[in-house]
Structures are given as structure tokens and as C-alpha cells.
Amino acid sequence: MRFQLLGPLALADGPDTVVLQPSKPANLLAALLLNANSTVSAGYLQRAVWGEEQPATAKAALQTCVLRLRRLFAKHGVTGTAIEAVPGGYRIIAGPPTLDLLAYRDQVRRATAMDRDPEAELYTLRDALSLWQGALLANVRSAVLHRDEVPRLAEERLRVVERVCDLLLGLGRCGEALVDLWTATRVYPGHERFHEQLIEALYRSGRQSQALAEYRRVKDFLREELGVDPSPSLRRLELSILRGEELGPVGQAALAAPAPGQAAPVVSASAEAVGSGSASGEVVGSGSASGAVVSRVVRGETVPQPDAEPPGSEPAPAPASGPDPAPGPGPATMPTLVTAPALTPAPAPVAAPAPVTVPPGAATGAPSAAGACAPPADAGVGPVPAVPHFTGRAAEAEAMAARLTASPPTGPADHRALAVVVSGAPGIGKSALAQHVARQVGDAFPAGRLLVRMTRADGEPRTAGEVSAALADALGATGEGRALLILDDVVDADQVRPLLTPGGLPGPGLAVVVTSRMGLGGLIATHGGWVQRLTAFTEAESYGLLLAALGAERVEAEPEAAHRLTAVCGHFPAALRILTARLLTRPGLRLADAVDWLGDDPLARLTLTDSPGHSVTGLFDRALDRLDPRLSQAFTHLAQGPPELLADGGPEHEGPVPEAVREQLADAGLLEDGPPGPYRIHGLLRAHVRRTARIRDRRTEKV
């Protein structure tokens, strides 16, 4: 049993969660858990439960609340956590396994020790942030806790978010940083560091105009709402962008920075010093004839109170009306910039150049390779990437390669013949197979191979016209001869059919591979082609993937445990990929221990916390979201019911699910096999639907 504070106050036991209803005992429990393992005075607890104006019977009523909580613990089998009466008040005993707040702080402390390994630190901090489950204490009606404790907890999270974005920028993963920063800057418009990170990420991604527009937006907000100008670092960053300068390598600044919450020198990665002796930085030397300088600043941190936030807490931005610190233990002050002592005698002041306006279309000065991020492929068209640790599918890959390298098929003049359709369940490895084969047959396509993503990041399908226009630009830069296109993740036949008519795709002699969760039988009927339907891996293929990804030394040391791991994953390729990624970040974890850890809650643990889109549950959710609501309802009914529901007759008391419905679900990749054999639902998918139904019907507990 685990207490959850980082969201609504709740008790969790594996996938089952009990959310406590608002009540006086819930207020008391929240106050104790927020100060776990410390004595909390009876006076403070009474204020937390009843507010500043307490009833005359508050002391006796407090004892009653404690008794009700103890009965709640006994009812739900809570062990290892107890409320103790101590001189002057009460204390609750908890640890990281039983309280998410302590687990979060423990993760952040572990990340502090990983400052020499940015990838490990990033993964650990993302793992910690995944423990936050929504609005803090939304079901706790205590004005005292929301005034004194909630802002402090919010600061802890914000400081870690800031550090995560620094690490992403330092590692050159600007696209991932942008996802977090767009949200952070809109939710916390007065938090200038988030804006600085967002602007820098945009510029390093080649989006200069958007970076300047974002600077103007935050500048207007600060002046209109707070009556202040942007910080010196923001102004220097704008100047660098206007001048088209290369930004310094962000890795040296962010990756050498201290763990969240610690004060240490930080090298500015976004500006040149334009003067000396200013609060924003000092000229510390001219390392080259060009007079390049490095600005050094030191963050001033407020010392946390005892039992307050650990290293890793993050300051919350001031409200629009200005700082208004709450009484008692409250938010730490925002860090300020102070001048660090010069490491060498400062040269004469350098005059600040006048801002330069860059006309549209002018060269922007690409960021240096040390910290640059590749511009995003907004059009969804790019070269075919390699697939790391590709294993299995030997027969399928050989057959596809033979089809693609054969002479171009002939057909009626009113359509373009398809080469291959690769279909199957979400996460079954369609894209990986298509990309792997495309790279194998590169010699047969001298004009190049392009991957065309047919859905946007938000899941919305691209239109045929949009894809055709993007391909016209991409194919214009290729050489002579045949080109190979992979139309990846096609939603339905209507999305791709216009591209296969004369004039739909630019360039002659194109070979087209389509990957889709749908069977696309209608497209095959009208345009020909060959279908490769994928199913789950065999046991040997699953074991081979572990060997390729984890290395023979680690896997062959525990072959039985490796086979058990593949079985827990249901030999499902996406699950195995996620599992191996998690195991690679924990090289000291024995495979036998991983079996027990994964088996406790495979759906929750088959996810990459630093990349939430890579999860089995997210994959299934996105697939179900594409279904017609009536089909989705039918599939939920099938997955929650007994296997007999999938048979032609069905249980006597329910009757059969129409075969037309089952066929549509099979065509969508959600049912396996089918006539003349029986339909089946993959074990992970069935477990996901049942778990989702439990969460949707989540109970509430009155204390």
C-alpha cells in the first residue's frame, strides 16, 4: 500500500487506487504525510484541519480524527506506516516505498550524484517527475496546507523541470525540451528562465523567427503585467539571435551545472558579455583574437528550512501582482544573479553594439555543432533512419526485399501499383521492418529512400495534398533513378488513395511501401500489391532481441530469466523495446530481479519516463482513440468479458458479438487471427483495457 500526495490524496495498491473524499481526517492525514517522520505539533495539526478559527473541542476532535485514520489503515491493510502519539503532537512513519513524496525526493537526491552522467541524471529526474499525478491535494480542503505547503511542493517540481530542460538542451535534444517548455512558459508566464530556455531551444532548432516572436511576447508580458524589463540574460540572448551568432555549447553550461537546489558557478550558454562590472556578468578574458568572452554568474539560493524541500526543488514564479510570500514555511525566493569574481584582470569595457535587424530570409548563423539541434522536419518527410538492434522477421524481410527489388509492376494507367503493405497491431514492429528493409535495398533506389509520416505528433492524419507538396520539395533534391517511399502509419485507405493516382506523387518510377494498423484490403483490391501482416515475435525472436540489445554476456548469464522476461512482455515487440531500454539504463540490475519487478505491474513499468510517448499503455490508448466510438465500446466489452465472447456462438446469456464487428476490430489490428480460426486478444492489450476500466470507475473512500 502506498500513499499518494503528489496529486489528489489517495491510497494505491498496485493498479487499484482509492481517492479519499474531502474530510477533516483527510486534512489531518495530508498534514502528517507532508511532514512524514517528523513530530507535528497538535496546534499546527488543528490549524491544518479546522483553519485559524478552531472549535473549542478541537483537541478532542483531533484524537477522534486520528482514530478514524487508524481504522482506515486497518481496513486497507496498510503496513509499515503508523500514526504515533508523541509528546506535543503526532508523527507518521513512512518511507519512499510507502509515500510518493519521499520517493520523489529520494529520486532527486540520487540524480544529484549523477552530475557527471547527464543521460542518467535526466532519466532519474524524469522518473521522479512521473510520480506527479495531477493537481496537488485537490481533494484536501485545508486553507493552511494550500497556503503553506502546496506552493513549496510546486517549487520542488518546477526546479526539477528547469533542470530537465537544461539537460535536454545540453544533450542537443531541443525537440524534447520544446514539448516541456511550451507548457511551462504558458502555465508560469513570469518564470523567465523557462522563457530563456524556450527561446534558446527554438533558435538552436533553426526557428529564428519563432524565437524572436517568443522574446517579444514575454517582453510585452513583463512590461504590461509586472512593469519590468526582461532580464539581462534574456536581452543578451535576443541580441545574439538578431545578429545570427552561434550560441556557445550548451552542454558545458547545463551539464556542468549543479544539481537542482545547489549553488555553484554557471557558465552562460546564450550570450556574450557586452560590458564589465555589470550584475549580469563580467568579462573574464579574451580567449581569442576576436575578443570572445564568457559570462559567469552565480545563482543565489535561499537556505531551505529543516525538513523542507531537498536538493532538486524548484522555485515557483511570482504571481502577476508581484511577490507575496506566505507566512511560515513557504516558497523560497527566486534566484538572483550576482557578479562572480573575475578569474583574470578584466580588460577595458566593450561597447555594446546596436541591435541589428535581420531581414526575412537572411542567413541566421547556424548554431555550432557542439550544442546544435537539427531543425525539425515539420513536413513529416525525411531520410529513412536506421533501426537499432533489429532482430527477427528474417523471412518477412527477405520476402519484402525481393518484392522491392523486382522489376516495377505494371498496371492500369489510372493508378500507381503498390509494392508492399505492412499491417498489424499497434507496436508490432511495422515501421521498424519497413525501415530496416528499405536500408537493405538502398542500391536499388539511387534516387533515395524517404520516410513519410502520415500522422502528426498529435495523432491527426496529414492530408494527401499536404504530403504531395512536401514530397515535391524532398524529391527535387534527390538524384536520378528510382526512389523508395515509406508512407508510415496510414490511417485508412482514403488517406493514401489520392497519392496513388496519376499526379498524386511527384517523380516517375517510385516504389511505395505503406505501413498501417488497418488491413487496407480495399486499397489492395484496387491498386494491387502484396501484404505482409505481422504478429507477435516467436520465443526465439524475442530472445534474440534481448541478446542484440543487452549483449550476450548479460543475457546468457541468466537465460532462464531472459526467457521469463520475454514471456511477461507477451513477445510483443514494442514492449520488448521499452524493456531493453529500461534495462540498459540499469546495467547492474539482474534479469531475475527484473522479472519480479516487471511482473508486479507490467503495464505501468513498460514505459520510458523521460519519453512518455514511448509506453505500452500510450500506444494502446492512441490506437483505441482512432476507433469509431461504437467499435471502441464493443472492443472494451470483448476485452473485459470471457474468451467465449470472441467465439461465433458466444455465452448463452449474452449471445455473440456480430462477426462484422469482430472483423472490423481484427482489421484495425486489435484482434488476432480470425476466421476460420478463433479470434484472440493479446494479453497485454486485454490487461490494459481492464485496467483502464478500473481507473475510470475509480472508487472514492469516505474517512
Side-chain angles (χ1 to χ4, degrees):
M1 186 65 70
R2 181 186 183 92
F3 291 96
Q4 293 182 345
L5 270 178
L6 304 180
L9 180 62
L11 299 176
D13 185 8
D16 297 321
T17 302
V18 176
V19 178
L20 303 185
Q21 289 186 353
S23 64
K24 297 295 189 292
N27 293 357
L28 172 62
L29 180 59
L32 289 170
L33 290 173
L34 286 165
N35 299 276
N37 305 315
S38 300
T39 299
V40 187
S41 69
Y44 179 80
L45 291 175
Q46 289 168 199
R47 290 196 302 275
V49 174
W50 286 279
E52 301 297 344
E53 297 182 5
Q54 303 162 30
T57 60
K59 185 174 182 181
L62 183 64
Q63 296 174 350
T64 302
C65 288
V66 171
L67 291 174
R68 291 171 64 182
L69 286 177
R70 287 171 175 164
R71 285 198 296 269
L72 176 72
F73 290 2
K75 175 182 175 181
H76 290 284
V78 175
T79 58
T81 302
I83 300 176
E84 301 175 345
V86 295
Y90 292 90
R91 177 176 60 202
I92 193 167
I93 304 300
T98 56
L99 178 58
D100 61 353
L101 176 60
L102 297 183
Y104 168 77
R105 290 172 172 169
D106 186 59
Q107 286 278 77
V108 174
R109 277 191 289 268
R110 287 178 52 226
T112 303
M114 300 176 180
D115 55 340
R116 296 183 181 276
D117 187 347
E119 287 281 4
E121 182 183 359
L122 175 63
Y123 183 89
T124 304
L125 292 178
R126 279 279 177 85
D127 210 20
L129 289 173
S130 70
L131 295 173
W132 293 71
Q133 299 295 322
L136 284 170
L137 303 181
N139 56 334
V140 174
R141 305 290 189 261
S142 171
V144 171
L145 295 182
H146 281 277
R147 181 195 68 195
D148 296 346
E149 301 290 347
V150 168
R152 180 165 60 89
L153 291 177
E155 286 186 17
E156 293 192 32
R157 180 180 178 277
L158 285 178
R159 194 181 296 266
V160 172
V161 172
E162 182 180 319
R163 177 62 177 163
V164 164
C165 293
D166 273 338
L167 288 167
L168 288 171
L169 290 174
L171 292 167
R173 292 155 63 176
C174 298
E176 291 181 49
L178 285 170
V179 174
D180 294 330
L181 289 168
W182 282 120
T183 301
T185 52
R186 272 52 183 173
V187 175
Y188 304 101
H191 192 41
E192 288 188 69
R193 178 58 186 150
F194 281 150
H195 289 287
E196 186 176 349
Q197 290 173 316
L198 174 60
I199 293 167
E200 185 171 338
L202 288 168
Y203 183 53
R204 288 181 181 275
S205 299
R207 296 154 72 174
Q208 181 195 37
S209 59
Q210 282 184 269
L212 291 172
E214 184 62 23
Y215 175 82
R216 287 191 291 271
R217 197 190 69 80
V218 68
K219 178 180 178 181
D220 292 343
F221 171 81
L222 293 172
R223 285 184 172 176
E224 293 173 7
E225 300 294 331
L226 304 178
V228 298
D229 288 325
S231 65
S233 59
L234 264 175
R235 296 200 300 270
R236 292 197 306 272
L237 179 56
E238 182 215 20
L239 181 60
S240 294
I241 295 173
L242 287 170
R243 296 167 64 183
E245 296 174 344
E246 295 184 359
L247 303 186
V250 77
Q252 295 179 9
L255 304 189
Q262 294 182 344
V266 178
V267 181
S268 170
S270 60
E272 283 186 58
V274 294
S276 63
S278 68
S280 60
E282 282 195 43
V283 177
V284 296
S286 55
S288 66
S290 63
V293 292
V294 179
S295 172
R296 295 181 179 272
V297 297
V298 176
R299 291 188 181 276
E301 305 289 345
T302 299
V303 179
Q305 298 191 11
D307 297 321
E309 63 271 26
S313 59
E314 183 164 341
S321 58
D324 183 18
T333 57
M334 290 290 291
T336 56
L337 300 180
V338 297
T339 305
L343 302 182
T344 60
V350 181
V356 179
T357 301
V358 179
T364 61
S368 65
C373 302
D378 292 331
V381 178
V384 176
V387 181
H389 311 306
F390 185 89
T391 56
R393 310 290 192 204
E396 294 91 336
E398 183 179 356
M400 278 187 63
R403 292 276 175 175
L404 291 173
T405 55
S407 300
T410 58
D414 61 346
H415 74 273
R416 182 188 304 275
L418 279 168
V420 179
V421 171
V422 185
S423 62
I428 207 68
K430 303 178 293 294
S431 300
L433 175 62
Q435 292 168 29
H436 174 71
V437 173
R439 292 178 67 87
Q440 280 189 319
V441 299
D443 292 342
F445 298 96
R449 295 147 295 165
L450 293 176
L451 178 68
V452 185
R453 303 197 183 277
M454 299 297 288
T455 54
R456 301 186 182 90
D458 60 3
E460 287 296 310
R462 299 181 187 275
T463 65
E466 187 181 345
V467 170
S468 181
L471 278 171
D473 294 335
L475 290 170
T478 62
E480 298 295 329
R482 286 188 86 198
L484 173 63
L485 301 182
I486 299 176
L487 304 183
D488 190 45
D489 197 16
V490 168
V491 174
D492 55 34
D494 289 338
Q495 184 191 20
V496 73
R497 190 173 280 119
L499 296 173
L500 304 176
T501 58
L505 287 173
L510 292 175
V512 180
V513 175
V514 167
T515 74
S516 178
R517 298 171 188 175
M518 307 299 293
L520 303 184
L523 195 64
I524 294 296
T526 57
H527 288 72
W530 177 70
V531 178
Q532 179 63 68
R533 182 85 174 182
L534 301 184
T535 58
F537 274 163
T538 64
E539 186 174 351
E541 287 176 324
S542 298
Y543 189 80
L545 177 57
L546 291 192
L547 283 173
L550 302 179
E553 181 179 356
R554 187 175 182 185
V555 174
E556 291 177 351
E558 300 179 82
E560 182 181 350
H563 282 292
R564 289 167 58 200
L565 276 175
T566 62
V568 173
C569 292
H571 305 293
F572 197 68
L576 290 166
R577 290 279 181 186
I578 293 170
L579 170 67
T580 54
R582 296 208 68 167
L583 291 175
L584 284 169
T585 64
R586 290 170 169 79
L589 181 65
R590 294 176 61 249
L591 298 188
D593 294 333
V595 173
D596 297 333
W597 165 77
L598 180 63
D600 286 343
D601 193 355
L603 286 172
R605 287 167 179 168
L606 286 172
T607 182
L608 301 180
T609 54
D610 65 335
S611 183
H614 290 83
S615 70
V616 170
T617 55
L619 185 71
F620 290 156
D621 281 336
R622 290 190 292 273
L624 294 172
D625 286 344
R626 287 190 186 179
L627 285 181
D628 179 277
R630 290 170 296 181
L631 278 180
S632 180
Q633 185 177 5
F635 182 71
T636 301
H637 176 61
L638 287 170
Q640 289 185 275
E644 291 79 13
L645 274 178
L646 294 168
D648 288 337
E652 293 183 3
H653 63 285
E654 293 198 42
V657 173
E659 183 171 335
V661 172
R662 288 178 285 162
E663 269 294 279
Q664 290 180 71
L665 291 171
D667 192 56
L670 299 176
L671 296 184
E672 300 173 354
D673 297 333
Y679 292 98
R680 293 181 298 109
I681 300 177
H682 192 279
L684 284 178
L685 183 53
R686 184 186 290 275
H688 170 70
V689 173
R690 291 179 173 178
R691 176 177 180 153
T692 302
R694 284 200 304 270
I695 294 173
R696 186 175 59 246
D697 301 331
R698 176 183 289 175
R699 297 174 291 121
T700 60
E701 179 78 23
K702 185 174 182 180
V703 186

